[in-house]
Amino acid sequence: QVQLVESGGGLVQPGGSLRLSCAASRSIFKIHAMGWYRQAPGKERELVAAITRVGTTNYTDSVKGRFTISRDNAKNTLYLQMNSLKVEDTAIYYCHTDPPLEWYYNWGQGTQVTVSS
């Protein structure tokens, strides 16, 4: 079973930056499009950024121009660079395939991002 382990979250002030990482226990990024998802308290989990196998990226409107998704296939790692963070970005962030292939891969624990002054 492939393990997805997210890290890099924390507490940051509005306008600050964080870089999230997602490490996979084996290489899956070459065969799947991947995405970063987030779930805020009381809300549904949403896809915020995605990257295809050939590197095409897509973002939800609320993070366009602020977040950048990338991956390093050699390191089996997915990244999310988050700049100009806003209070409304506060959520638990997860990585998974896009769309989520939940019958193949479990969700990880996620990493908490809190944006607050």
Side-chain angles (χ1 to χ4, degrees), residues 99-113:
L101 301 175
E102 295 176 326
W103 54 91
Y104 286 137
Y105 311 116
N106 292 326
W107 289 93
Q109 297 282 348
T111 186
Q112 175 71 50
V113 171

Side-chain angles (χ1 to χ4, degrees), residues 11 17 43 52 54 103:
L11 173 63
S17 297
K43 294 188 177 181
T52 68
V54 297
W103 54 91

Side-chain angles (χ1 to χ4, degrees), residues 4-8 18-24 29 34-37 48-51 57-59 66-83 93-96 111:
L4 298 169
V5 180
E6 302 91 351
S7 62
L18 285 172
R19 188 192 195 203
L20 306 185
S21 298
C22 169
F29 301 148
M34 296 297 298
W36 280 99
Y37 300 77
V48 297
I51 185 166
T57 58
N58 199 15
Y59 302 90
R66 301 188 298 120
F67 289 11
T68 302
I69 187 172
S70 62
R71 66 167 190 251
D72 186 331
N73 289 344
K75 295 182 179 180
N76 297 335
T77 304
L78 185 73
Y79 302 101
L80 185 68
Q81 177 68 43
M82 306 188 296
N83 299 327
Y93 284 72
Y94 304 87
C95 68
H96 211 284
T111 186

Side-chain angles (χ1 to χ4, degrees), residues 35-40 43-49 60-63 88-94 107:
W36 280 99
Y37 300 77
R38 69 185 179 189
Q39 187 167 21
K43 294 188 177 181
E44 296 288 319
R45 186 177 288 161
E46 63 169 341
L47 176 67
V48 297
T60 193
D61 286 346
S62 62
V63 307
E88 51 264 40
D89 295 318
T90 296
I92 300 175
Y93 284 72
Y94 304 87
W107 289 93

